[in-house]
Amino acid sequence: MAAISKSEDEWRAVLSPEQFRILREKGTEPKFTGEYDKLFEEGVYSCAGCGTALYKSSTKFDSGCGWPAFYEGFPGAISRSPDPDGRRTEITCRACGGHLGHVFKWDKFKVPSDERHCVNSVSIKFTPADSAL
C-alpha cells in the first residue's frame, strides 16, 4: 500500500472543516451524532480522506458506545499507536495517516476478536454492497 502524502493546505482543500479537524488534527465527533453509528447495511467502509478500504460491514457491531464499532479491519489497512497517556491506542489509516478513532480490548461482546474499534463517522465513508449494480 503506497503512502499518501499531502501538505496541510492540500488536505484542507479536499476535506470539509470537520473532516480536517478529525482526520488531520485527531479530533473526535460527539458520541451518538455520527451518521454511521446505527447503520448496519451491507457494504464497505473506506477512509474519508483517501478512499482506502478499512472495514467490511460484516465486522461492524452495535457496542452502544456512540460511535461505529468494528471488531477488525482489512489486513494491513489500519495502523495503531499508543496515545501519549498510555490509556488508549489510536487507530489511523495506514495509507494517509488519517485519524480514525481508538481501539480497545473488549470481551463484553460476542464477536470473533477481543477488540472494539471505535471510529468517528466523519473519518469513514460507506459504500453499499449493491452500489456496483
PDB file of all heavy atoms in Angstrom, residues 15-55:
ATOM      1  N   LEU A  15     -10.826  18.218   2.141  1.00  0.00           N
ATOM      2  CA  LEU A  15     -11.642  17.781   3.271  1.00  0.00           C
ATOM      3  C   LEU A  15     -12.533  18.913   3.764  1.00  0.00           C
ATOM      4  O   LEU A  15     -12.168  20.078   3.666  1.00  0.00           O
ATOM      5  CB  LEU A  15     -10.746  17.327   4.436  1.00  0.00           C
ATOM      6  CG  LEU A  15      -9.798  16.163   4.193  1.00  0.00           C
ATOM      7  CD1 LEU A  15      -8.890  15.958   5.406  1.00  0.00           C
ATOM      8  CD2 LEU A  15     -10.569  14.888   3.880  1.00  0.00           C
ATOM      9  N   SER A  16     -13.688  18.549   4.305  1.00  0.00           N
ATOM     10  CA  SER A  16     -14.522  19.556   4.960  1.00  0.00           C
ATOM     11  C   SER A  16     -13.801  20.000   6.238  1.00  0.00           C
ATOM     12  O   SER A  16     -12.895  19.299   6.713  1.00  0.00           O
ATOM     13  CB  SER A  16     -15.888  18.962   5.314  1.00  0.00           C
ATOM     14  OG  SER A  16     -15.760  18.056   6.405  1.00  0.00           O
ATOM     15  N   PRO A  17     -14.181  21.142   6.802  1.00  0.00           N
ATOM     16  CA  PRO A  17     -13.544  21.565   8.054  1.00  0.00           C
ATOM     17  C   PRO A  17     -13.651  20.506   9.161  1.00  0.00           C
ATOM     18  O   PRO A  17     -12.694  20.288   9.907  1.00  0.00           O
ATOM     19  CB  PRO A  17     -14.298  22.846   8.426  1.00  0.00           C
ATOM     20  CG  PRO A  17     -14.733  23.399   7.104  1.00  0.00           C
ATOM     21  CD  PRO A  17     -15.075  22.190   6.282  1.00  0.00           C
ATOM     22  N   GLU A  18     -14.794  19.831   9.277  1.00  0.00           N
ATOM     23  CA  GLU A  18     -14.965  18.793  10.298  1.00  0.00           C
ATOM     24  C   GLU A  18     -14.097  17.570   9.995  1.00  0.00           C
ATOM     25  O   GLU A  18     -13.489  16.985  10.899  1.00  0.00           O
ATOM     26  CB  GLU A  18     -16.440  18.399  10.426  1.00  0.00           C
ATOM     27  CG  GLU A  18     -16.715  17.403  11.511  1.00  0.00           C
ATOM     28  CD  GLU A  18     -16.548  17.921  12.942  1.00  0.00           C
ATOM     29  OE1 GLU A  18     -16.023  19.034  13.160  1.00  0.00           O
ATOM     30  OE2 GLU A  18     -16.934  17.191  13.861  1.00  0.00           O
ATOM     31  N   GLN A  19     -14.013  17.164   8.729  1.00  0.00           N
ATOM     32  CA  GLN A  19     -13.131  16.049   8.362  1.00  0.00           C
ATOM     33  C   GLN A  19     -11.682  16.410   8.673  1.00  0.00           C
ATOM     34  O   GLN A  19     -10.938  15.585   9.193  1.00  0.00           O
ATOM     35  CB  GLN A  19     -13.272  15.714   6.875  1.00  0.00           C
ATOM     36  CG  GLN A  19     -14.544  15.010   6.525  1.00  0.00           C
ATOM     37  CD  GLN A  19     -14.698  14.851   5.025  1.00  0.00           C
ATOM     38  OE1 GLN A  19     -14.353  15.731   4.230  1.00  0.00           O
ATOM     39  NE2 GLN A  19     -15.227  13.698   4.626  1.00  0.00           N
ATOM     40  N   PHE A  20     -11.277  17.624   8.367  1.00  0.00           N
ATOM     41  CA  PHE A  20      -9.905  18.041   8.643  1.00  0.00           C
ATOM     42  C   PHE A  20      -9.626  17.996  10.145  1.00  0.00           C
ATOM     43  O   PHE A  20      -8.597  17.485  10.587  1.00  0.00           O
ATOM     44  CB  PHE A  20      -9.630  19.447   8.095  1.00  0.00           C
ATOM     45  CG  PHE A  20      -8.199  19.860   8.239  1.00  0.00           C
ATOM     46  CD1 PHE A  20      -7.260  19.522   7.271  1.00  0.00           C
ATOM     47  CD2 PHE A  20      -7.763  20.564   9.352  1.00  0.00           C
ATOM     48  CE1 PHE A  20      -5.921  19.865   7.403  1.00  0.00           C
ATOM     49  CE2 PHE A  20      -6.430  20.913   9.501  1.00  0.00           C
ATOM     50  CZ  PHE A  20      -5.508  20.566   8.521  1.00  0.00           C
ATOM     51  N   ARG A  21     -10.556  18.516  10.952  1.00  0.00           N
ATOM     52  CA  ARG A  21     -10.387  18.527  12.410  1.00  0.00           C
ATOM     53  C   ARG A  21     -10.215  17.111  12.969  1.00  0.00           C
ATOM     54  O   ARG A  21      -9.373  16.867  13.825  1.00  0.00           O
ATOM     55  CB  ARG A  21     -11.597  19.201  13.067  1.00  0.00           C
ATOM     56  CG  ARG A  21     -11.465  19.340  14.584  1.00  0.00           C
ATOM     57  CD  ARG A  21     -12.708  19.948  15.198  1.00  0.00           C
ATOM     58  NE  ARG A  21     -13.829  19.038  15.268  1.00  0.00           N
ATOM     59  CZ  ARG A  21     -13.973  18.079  16.193  1.00  0.00           C
ATOM     60  NH1 ARG A  21     -13.054  17.897  17.117  1.00  0.00           N
ATOM     61  NH2 ARG A  21     -15.044  17.308  16.186  1.00  0.00           N
ATOM     62  N   ILE A  22     -10.976  16.177  12.446  1.00  0.00           N
ATOM     63  CA  ILE A  22     -10.911  14.811  12.981  1.00  0.00           C
ATOM     64  C   ILE A  22      -9.782  14.007  12.336  1.00  0.00           C
ATOM     65  O   ILE A  22      -8.939  13.436  13.032  1.00  0.00           O
ATOM     66  CB  ILE A  22     -12.273  14.114  12.837  1.00  0.00           C
ATOM     67  CG1 ILE A  22     -13.270  14.815  13.786  1.00  0.00           C
ATOM     68  CG2 ILE A  22     -12.174  12.627  13.145  1.00  0.00           C
ATOM     69  CD1 ILE A  22     -14.697  14.371  13.656  1.00  0.00           C
ATOM     70  N   LEU A  23      -9.731  13.971  11.018  1.00  0.00           N
ATOM     71  CA  LEU A  23      -8.721  13.152  10.335  1.00  0.00           C
ATOM     72  C   LEU A  23      -7.296  13.673  10.503  1.00  0.00           C
ATOM     73  O   LEU A  23      -6.364  12.895  10.691  1.00  0.00           O
ATOM     74  CB  LEU A  23      -9.032  13.059   8.836  1.00  0.00           C
ATOM     75  CG  LEU A  23     -10.167  12.127   8.441  1.00  0.00           C
ATOM     76  CD1 LEU A  23     -10.639  12.445   7.026  1.00  0.00           C
ATOM     77  CD2 LEU A  23      -9.739  10.676   8.559  1.00  0.00           C
ATOM     78  N   ARG A  24      -7.107  14.981  10.435  1.00  0.00           N
ATOM     79  CA  ARG A  24      -5.750  15.531  10.448  1.00  0.00           C
ATOM     80  C   ARG A  24      -5.323  16.071  11.815  1.00  0.00           C
ATOM     81  O   ARG A  24      -4.138  16.092  12.133  1.00  0.00           O
ATOM     82  CB  ARG A  24      -5.596  16.648   9.405  1.00  0.00           C
ATOM     83  CG  ARG A  24      -6.009  16.309   7.986  1.00  0.00           C
ATOM     84  CD  ARG A  24      -5.578  14.978   7.419  1.00  0.00           C
ATOM     85  NE  ARG A  24      -4.164  14.696   7.523  1.00  0.00           N
ATOM     86  CZ  ARG A  24      -3.623  13.509   7.288  1.00  0.00           C
ATOM     87  NH1 ARG A  24      -4.371  12.479   6.931  1.00  0.00           N
ATOM     88  NH2 ARG A  24      -2.327  13.328   7.409  1.00  0.00           N
ATOM     89  N   GLU A  25      -6.298  16.521  12.633  1.00  0.00           N
ATOM     90  CA  GLU A  25      -5.960  17.090  13.937  1.00  0.00           C
ATOM     91  C   GLU A  25      -6.349  16.175  15.100  1.00  0.00           C
ATOM     92  O   GLU A  25      -6.332  16.591  16.249  1.00  0.00           O
ATOM     93  CB  GLU A  25      -6.626  18.466  14.093  1.00  0.00           C
ATOM     94  CG  GLU A  25      -6.122  19.479  13.074  1.00  0.00           C
ATOM     95  CD  GLU A  25      -6.831  20.824  13.164  1.00  0.00           C
ATOM     96  OE1 GLU A  25      -8.017  20.886  13.565  1.00  0.00           O
ATOM     97  OE2 GLU A  25      -6.185  21.832  12.814  1.00  0.00           O
ATOM     98  N   LYS A  26      -6.731  14.944  14.776  1.00  0.00           N
ATOM     99  CA  LYS A  26      -7.053  13.907  15.766  1.00  0.00           C
ATOM    100  C   LYS A  26      -8.208  14.286  16.682  1.00  0.00           C
ATOM    101  O   LYS A  26      -8.201  14.018  17.880  1.00  0.00           O
ATOM    102  CB  LYS A  26      -5.811  13.539  16.580  1.00  0.00           C
ATOM    103  CG  LYS A  26      -4.667  13.053  15.705  1.00  0.00           C
ATOM    104  CD  LYS A  26      -3.467  12.680  16.529  1.00  0.00           C
ATOM    105  CE  LYS A  26      -2.275  12.327  15.661  1.00  0.00           C
ATOM    106  NZ  LYS A  26      -2.442  11.186  14.828  1.00  0.00           N
ATOM    107  N   GLY A  27      -9.227  14.921  16.098  1.00  0.00           N
ATOM    108  CA  GLY A  27     -10.409  15.290  16.872  1.00  0.00           C
ATOM    109  C   GLY A  27     -11.349  14.113  17.054  1.00  0.00           C
ATOM    110  O   GLY A  27     -11.096  12.997  16.589  1.00  0.00           O
ATOM    111  N   THR A  28     -12.451  14.373  17.737  1.00  0.00           N
ATOM    112  CA  THR A  28     -13.481  13.360  17.972  1.00  0.00           C
ATOM    113  C   THR A  28     -14.841  14.000  17.781  1.00  0.00           C
ATOM    114  O   THR A  28     -15.085  15.101  18.286  1.00  0.00           O
ATOM    115  CB  THR A  28     -13.387  12.805  19.414  1.00  0.00           C
ATOM    116  OG1 THR A  28     -12.089  12.246  19.598  1.00  0.00           O
ATOM    117  CG2 THR A  28     -14.430  11.738  19.668  1.00  0.00           C
ATOM    118  N   GLU A  29     -15.725  13.319  17.063  1.00  0.00           N
ATOM    119  CA  GLU A  29     -17.095  13.810  16.941  1.00  0.00           C
ATOM    120  C   GLU A  29     -17.857  13.450  18.223  1.00  0.00           C
ATOM    121  O   GLU A  29     -17.516  12.466  18.887  1.00  0.00           O
ATOM    122  CB  GLU A  29     -17.776  13.218  15.706  1.00  0.00           C
ATOM    123  CG  GLU A  29     -18.018  11.720  15.796  1.00  0.00           C
ATOM    124  CD  GLU A  29     -18.405  11.082  14.464  1.00  0.00           C
ATOM    125  OE1 GLU A  29     -18.382  11.752  13.427  1.00  0.00           O
ATOM    126  OE2 GLU A  29     -18.725   9.886  14.495  1.00  0.00           O
ATOM    127  N   PRO A  30     -18.861  14.240  18.585  1.00  0.00           N
ATOM    128  CA  PRO A  30     -19.646  13.907  19.775  1.00  0.00           C
ATOM    129  C   PRO A  30     -20.317  12.531  19.610  1.00  0.00           C
ATOM    130  O   PRO A  30     -20.786  12.191  18.526  1.00  0.00           O
ATOM    131  CB  PRO A  30     -20.700  15.017  19.840  1.00  0.00           C
ATOM    132  CG  PRO A  30     -20.122  16.146  19.047  1.00  0.00           C
ATOM    133  CD  PRO A  30     -19.301  15.496  17.967  1.00  0.00           C
ATOM    134  N   LYS A  31     -20.345  11.757  20.692  1.00  0.00           N
ATOM    135  CA  LYS A  31     -20.938  10.429  20.585  1.00  0.00           C
ATOM    136  C   LYS A  31     -22.427  10.516  20.266  1.00  0.00           C
ATOM    137  O   LYS A  31     -23.080  11.515  20.575  1.00  0.00           O
ATOM    138  CB  LYS A  31     -20.674   9.604  21.837  1.00  0.00           C
ATOM    139  CG  LYS A  31     -21.271  10.097  23.104  1.00  0.00           C
ATOM    140  CD  LYS A  31     -20.856   9.168  24.227  1.00  0.00           C
ATOM    141  CE  LYS A  31     -21.297   9.682  25.568  1.00  0.00           C
ATOM    142  NZ  LYS A  31     -20.946   8.747  26.618  1.00  0.00           N
ATOM    143  N   PHE A  32     -22.894   9.487  19.582  1.00  0.00           N
ATOM    144  CA  PHE A  32     -24.287   9.344  19.144  1.00  0.00           C
ATOM    145  C   PHE A  32     -24.705  10.381  18.103  1.00  0.00           C
ATOM    146  O   PHE A  32     -25.889  10.580  17.876  1.00  0.00           O
ATOM    147  CB  PHE A  32     -25.265   9.365  20.334  1.00  0.00           C
ATOM    148  CG  PHE A  32     -25.006   8.283  21.338  1.00  0.00           C
ATOM    149  CD1 PHE A  32     -24.538   8.591  22.605  1.00  0.00           C
ATOM    150  CD2 PHE A  32     -25.219   6.947  21.011  1.00  0.00           C
ATOM    151  CE1 PHE A  32     -24.287   7.591  23.535  1.00  0.00           C
ATOM    152  CE2 PHE A  32     -24.972   5.936  21.935  1.00  0.00           C
ATOM    153  CZ  PHE A  32     -24.507   6.261  23.195  1.00  0.00           C
ATOM    154  N   THR A  33     -23.755  11.056  17.450  1.00  0.00           N
ATOM    155  CA  THR A  33     -24.105  12.044  16.424  1.00  0.00           C
ATOM    156  C   THR A  33     -23.687  11.617  15.020  1.00  0.00           C
ATOM    157  O   THR A  33     -24.138  12.207  14.049  1.00  0.00           O
ATOM    158  CB  THR A  33     -23.444  13.413  16.712  1.00  0.00           C
ATOM    159  OG1 THR A  33     -22.018  13.273  16.649  1.00  0.00           O
ATOM    160  CG2 THR A  33     -23.858  13.954  18.072  1.00  0.00           C
ATOM    161  N   GLY A  34     -22.830  10.608  14.891  1.00  0.00           N
ATOM    162  CA  GLY A  34     -22.310  10.216  13.592  1.00  0.00           C
ATOM    163  C   GLY A  34     -23.324   9.483  12.737  1.00  0.00           C
ATOM    164  O   GLY A  34     -24.149   8.712  13.241  1.00  0.00           O
ATOM    165  N   GLU A  35     -23.260   9.708  11.443  1.00  0.00           N
ATOM    166  CA  GLU A  35     -24.242   9.112  10.537  1.00  0.00           C
ATOM    167  C   GLU A  35     -24.137   7.595  10.431  1.00  0.00           C
ATOM    168  O   GLU A  35     -25.089   6.941  10.008  1.00  0.00           O
ATOM    169  CB  GLU A  35     -24.150   9.745   9.149  1.00  0.00           C
ATOM    170  CG  GLU A  35     -22.885   9.403   8.366  1.00  0.00           C
ATOM    171  CD  GLU A  35     -22.893   9.990   6.974  1.00  0.00           C
ATOM    172  OE1 GLU A  35     -23.832   9.710   6.191  1.00  0.00           O
ATOM    173  OE2 GLU A  35     -21.951  10.735   6.665  1.00  0.00           O
ATOM    174  N   TYR A  36     -23.022   6.995  10.819  1.00  0.00           N
ATOM    175  CA  TYR A  36     -22.865   5.541  10.668  1.00  0.00           C
ATOM    176  C   TYR A  36     -23.004   4.756  11.968  1.00  0.00           C
ATOM    177  O   TYR A  36     -22.904   3.531  11.965  1.00  0.00           O
ATOM    178  CB  TYR A  36     -21.512   5.220  10.033  1.00  0.00           C
ATOM    179  CG  TYR A  36     -21.338   5.848   8.662  1.00  0.00           C
ATOM    180  CD1 TYR A  36     -20.201   6.585   8.358  1.00  0.00           C
ATOM    181  CD2 TYR A  36     -22.310   5.710   7.682  1.00  0.00           C
ATOM    182  CE1 TYR A  36     -20.039   7.164   7.107  1.00  0.00           C
ATOM    183  CE2 TYR A  36     -22.162   6.292   6.437  1.00  0.00           C
ATOM    184  CZ  TYR A  36     -21.022   7.007   6.156  1.00  0.00           C
ATOM    185  OH  TYR A  36     -20.860   7.574   4.925  1.00  0.00           O
ATOM    186  N   ASP A  37     -23.266   5.427  13.073  1.00  0.00           N
ATOM    187  CA  ASP A  37     -23.367   4.724  14.355  1.00  0.00           C
ATOM    188  C   ASP A  37     -24.395   3.597  14.299  1.00  0.00           C
ATOM    189  O   ASP A  37     -24.123   2.488  14.740  1.00  0.00           O
ATOM    190  CB  ASP A  37     -23.709   5.720  15.474  1.00  0.00           C
ATOM    191  CG  ASP A  37     -23.782   5.062  16.840  1.00  0.00           C
ATOM    192  OD1 ASP A  37     -23.043   4.089  17.080  1.00  0.00           O
ATOM    193  OD2 ASP A  37     -24.575   5.544  17.682  1.00  0.00           O
ATOM    194  N   LYS A  38     -25.559   3.864  13.752  1.00  0.00           N
ATOM    195  CA  LYS A  38     -26.639   2.863  13.723  1.00  0.00           C
ATOM    196  C   LYS A  38     -26.904   2.294  12.325  1.00  0.00           C
ATOM    197  O   LYS A  38     -27.949   1.702  12.097  1.00  0.00           O
ATOM    198  CB  LYS A  38     -27.928   3.472  14.284  1.00  0.00           C
ATOM    199  CG  LYS A  38     -27.815   3.899  15.733  1.00  0.00           C
ATOM    200  CD  LYS A  38     -27.570   2.718  16.642  1.00  0.00           C
ATOM    201  CE  LYS A  38     -27.510   3.153  18.100  1.00  0.00           C
ATOM    202  NZ  LYS A  38     -27.058   2.074  18.960  1.00  0.00           N
ATOM    203  N   LEU A  39     -25.968   2.460  11.410  1.00  0.00           N
ATOM    204  CA  LEU A  39     -26.128   1.905  10.061  1.00  0.00           C
ATOM    205  C   LEU A  39     -25.581   0.484  10.030  1.00  0.00           C
ATOM    206  O   LEU A  39     -24.436   0.243  10.422  1.00  0.00           O
ATOM    207  CB  LEU A  39     -25.376   2.762   9.031  1.00  0.00           C
ATOM    208  CG  LEU A  39     -25.454   2.270   7.589  1.00  0.00           C
ATOM    209  CD1 LEU A  39     -26.853   2.473   7.023  1.00  0.00           C
ATOM    210  CD2 LEU A  39     -24.422   2.978   6.733  1.00  0.00           C
ATOM    211  N   PHE A  40     -26.405  -0.463   9.578  1.00  0.00           N
ATOM    212  CA  PHE A  40     -25.969  -1.860   9.524  1.00  0.00           C
ATOM    213  C   PHE A  40     -26.283  -2.496   8.179  1.00  0.00           C
ATOM    214  O   PHE A  40     -26.617  -3.665   8.094  1.00  0.00           O
ATOM    215  CB  PHE A  40     -26.593  -2.664  10.677  1.00  0.00           C
ATOM    216  CG  PHE A  40     -26.028  -2.245  12.008  1.00  0.00           C
ATOM    217  CD1 PHE A  40     -26.701  -1.337  12.793  1.00  0.00           C
ATOM    218  CD2 PHE A  40     -24.809  -2.718  12.440  1.00  0.00           C
ATOM    219  CE1 PHE A  40     -26.171  -0.909  14.003  1.00  0.00           C
ATOM    220  CE2 PHE A  40     -24.262  -2.307  13.644  1.00  0.00           C
ATOM    221  CZ  PHE A  40     -24.948  -1.400  14.428  1.00  0.00           C
ATOM    222  N   GLU A  41     -26.154  -1.721   7.114  1.00  0.00           N
ATOM    223  CA  GLU A  41     -26.340  -2.240   5.761  1.00  0.00           C
ATOM    224  C   GLU A  41     -25.057  -2.939   5.311  1.00  0.00           C
ATOM    225  O   GLU A  41     -23.972  -2.687   5.835  1.00  0.00           O
ATOM    226  CB  GLU A  41     -26.660  -1.106   4.792  1.00  0.00           C
ATOM    227  CG  GLU A  41     -27.984  -0.430   5.060  1.00  0.00           C
ATOM    228  CD  GLU A  41     -28.225   0.749   4.139  1.00  0.00           C
ATOM    229  OE1 GLU A  41     -27.637   0.812   3.043  1.00  0.00           O
ATOM    230  OE2 GLU A  41     -29.011   1.627   4.539  1.00  0.00           O
ATOM    231  N   GLU A  42     -25.192  -3.782   4.298  1.00  0.00           N
ATOM    232  CA  GLU A  42     -24.039  -4.492   3.752  1.00  0.00           C
ATOM    233  C   GLU A  42     -23.235  -3.565   2.844  1.00  0.00           C
ATOM    234  O   GLU A  42     -23.794  -2.829   2.041  1.00  0.00           O
ATOM    235  CB  GLU A  42     -24.509  -5.712   2.948  1.00  0.00           C
ATOM    236  CG  GLU A  42     -23.392  -6.626   2.528  1.00  0.00           C
ATOM    237  CD  GLU A  42     -23.893  -7.867   1.816  1.00  0.00           C
ATOM    238  OE1 GLU A  42     -25.032  -8.284   2.067  1.00  0.00           O
ATOM    239  OE2 GLU A  42     -23.130  -8.410   1.000  1.00  0.00           O
ATOM    240  N   GLY A  43     -21.915  -3.588   3.015  1.00  0.00           N
ATOM    241  CA  GLY A  43     -21.048  -2.748   2.201  1.00  0.00           C
ATOM    242  C   GLY A  43     -19.659  -2.635   2.794  1.00  0.00           C
ATOM    243  O   GLY A  43     -19.241  -3.464   3.603  1.00  0.00           O
ATOM    244  N   VAL A  44     -18.943  -1.588   2.395  1.00  0.00           N
ATOM    245  CA  VAL A  44     -17.561  -1.379   2.828  1.00  0.00           C
ATOM    246  C   VAL A  44     -17.413   0.056   3.336  1.00  0.00           C
ATOM    247  O   VAL A  44     -17.968   0.995   2.756  1.00  0.00           O
ATOM    248  CB  VAL A  44     -16.578  -1.631   1.650  1.00  0.00           C
ATOM    249  CG1 VAL A  44     -15.156  -1.227   2.011  1.00  0.00           C
ATOM    250  CG2 VAL A  44     -16.630  -3.087   1.222  1.00  0.00           C
ATOM    251  N   TYR A  45     -16.648   0.191   4.417  1.00  0.00           N
ATOM    252  CA  TYR A  45     -16.306   1.500   4.975  1.00  0.00           C
ATOM    253  C   TYR A  45     -14.867   1.819   4.579  1.00  0.00           C
ATOM    254  O   TYR A  45     -13.964   1.034   4.840  1.00  0.00           O
ATOM    255  CB  TYR A  45     -16.436   1.493   6.502  1.00  0.00           C
ATOM    256  CG  TYR A  45     -17.863   1.339   6.962  1.00  0.00           C
ATOM    257  CD1 TYR A  45     -18.448   0.092   7.104  1.00  0.00           C
ATOM    258  CD2 TYR A  45     -18.633   2.460   7.257  1.00  0.00           C
ATOM    259  CE1 TYR A  45     -19.761  -0.046   7.532  1.00  0.00           C
ATOM    260  CE2 TYR A  45     -19.949   2.335   7.672  1.00  0.00           C
ATOM    261  CZ  TYR A  45     -20.502   1.080   7.816  1.00  0.00           C
ATOM    262  OH  TYR A  45     -21.804   0.951   8.235  1.00  0.00           O
ATOM    263  N   SER A  46     -14.681   2.978   3.968  1.00  0.00           N
ATOM    264  CA  SER A  46     -13.371   3.413   3.496  1.00  0.00           C
ATOM    265  C   SER A  46     -12.962   4.699   4.201  1.00  0.00           C
ATOM    266  O   SER A  46     -13.799   5.415   4.762  1.00  0.00           O
ATOM    267  CB  SER A  46     -13.405   3.661   1.986  1.00  0.00           C
ATOM    268  OG  SER A  46     -13.772   2.477   1.305  1.00  0.00           O
ATOM    269  N   CYS A  47     -11.681   5.018   4.130  1.00  0.00           N
ATOM    270  CA  CYS A  47     -11.165   6.253   4.703  1.00  0.00           C
ATOM    271  C   CYS A  47     -11.774   7.442   3.954  1.00  0.00           C
ATOM    272  O   CYS A  47     -11.737   7.494   2.726  1.00  0.00           O
ATOM    273  CB  CYS A  47      -9.639   6.278   4.596  1.00  0.00           C
ATOM    274  SG  CYS A  47      -8.895   7.812   5.184  1.00  0.00           S
ATOM    275  N   ALA A  48     -12.337   8.396   4.703  1.00  0.00           N
ATOM    276  CA  ALA A  48     -12.926   9.589   4.082  1.00  0.00           C
ATOM    277  C   ALA A  48     -11.860  10.505   3.495  1.00  0.00           C
ATOM    278  O   ALA A  48     -12.159  11.341   2.655  1.00  0.00           O
ATOM    279  CB  ALA A  48     -13.765  10.351   5.106  1.00  0.00           C
ATOM    280  N   GLY A  49     -10.613  10.324   3.912  1.00  0.00           N
ATOM    281  CA  GLY A  49      -9.536  11.157   3.399  1.00  0.00           C
ATOM    282  C   GLY A  49      -8.971  10.680   2.080  1.00  0.00           C
ATOM    283  O   GLY A  49      -8.758  11.472   1.170  1.00  0.00           O
ATOM    284  N   CYS A  50      -8.745   9.372   1.981  1.00  0.00           N
ATOM    285  CA  CYS A  50      -8.048   8.870   0.789  1.00  0.00           C
ATOM    286  C   CYS A  50      -8.778   7.749   0.052  1.00  0.00           C
ATOM    287  O   CYS A  50      -8.348   7.348  -1.021  1.00  0.00           O
ATOM    288  CB  CYS A  50      -6.644   8.400   1.172  1.00  0.00           C
ATOM    289  SG  CYS A  50      -6.599   6.890   2.164  1.00  0.00           S
ATOM    290  N   GLY A  51      -9.847   7.220   0.610  1.00  0.00           N
ATOM    291  CA  GLY A  51     -10.625   6.185  -0.066  1.00  0.00           C
ATOM    292  C   GLY A  51     -10.159   4.761   0.164  1.00  0.00           C
ATOM    293  O   GLY A  51     -10.733   3.828  -0.391  1.00  0.00           O
ATOM    294  N   THR A  52      -9.142   4.545   0.978  1.00  0.00           N
ATOM    295  CA  THR A  52      -8.657   3.191   1.257  1.00  0.00           C
ATOM    296  C   THR A  52      -9.725   2.392   2.006  1.00  0.00           C
ATOM    297  O   THR A  52     -10.285   2.884   2.993  1.00  0.00           O
ATOM    298  CB  THR A  52      -7.368   3.250   2.108  1.00  0.00           C
ATOM    299  OG1 THR A  52      -6.358   3.898   1.342  1.00  0.00           O
ATOM    300  CG2 THR A  52      -6.896   1.868   2.514  1.00  0.00           C
ATOM    301  N   ALA A  53     -10.021   1.193   1.536  1.00  0.00           N
ATOM    302  CA  ALA A  53     -10.985   0.321   2.215  1.00  0.00           C
ATOM    303  C   ALA A  53     -10.432  -0.076   3.582  1.00  0.00           C
ATOM    304  O   ALA A  53      -9.296  -0.530   3.692  1.00  0.00           O
ATOM    305  CB  ALA A  53     -11.260  -0.921   1.369  1.00  0.00           C
ATOM    306  N   LEU A  54     -11.252   0.121   4.631  1.00  0.00           N
ATOM    307  CA  LEU A  54     -10.819  -0.131   6.001  1.00  0.00           C
ATOM    308  C   LEU A  54     -11.572  -1.270   6.681  1.00  0.00           C
ATOM    309  O   LEU A  54     -10.976  -2.100   7.359  1.00  0.00           O
ATOM    310  CB  LEU A  54     -10.990   1.133   6.842  1.00  0.00           C
ATOM    311  CG  LEU A  54     -10.241   2.369   6.387  1.00  0.00           C
ATOM    312  CD1 LEU A  54     -10.699   3.598   7.174  1.00  0.00           C
ATOM    313  CD2 LEU A  54      -8.743   2.166   6.534  1.00  0.00           C
ATOM    314  N   TYR A  55     -12.897  -1.298   6.529  1.00  0.00           N
ATOM    315  CA  TYR A  55     -13.736  -2.265   7.242  1.00  0.00           C
ATOM    316  C   TYR A  55     -14.830  -2.830   6.354  1.00  0.00           C
ATOM    317  O   TYR A  55     -15.441  -2.093   5.583  1.00  0.00           O
ATOM    318  CB  TYR A  55     -14.436  -1.602   8.438  1.00  0.00           C
ATOM    319  CG  TYR A  55     -13.516  -1.050   9.483  1.00  0.00           C
ATOM    320  CD1 TYR A  55     -13.211   0.306   9.521  1.00  0.00           C
ATOM    321  CD2 TYR A  55     -12.959  -1.870  10.455  1.00  0.00           C
ATOM    322  CE1 TYR A  55     -12.378   0.833  10.493  1.00  0.00           C
ATOM    323  CE2 TYR A  55     -12.120  -1.356  11.431  1.00  0.00           C
ATOM    324  CZ  TYR A  55     -11.828  -0.011  11.441  1.00  0.00           C
ATOM    325  OH  TYR A  55     -11.002   0.492  12.403  1.00  0.00           O
TER     326      TYR A  55
END
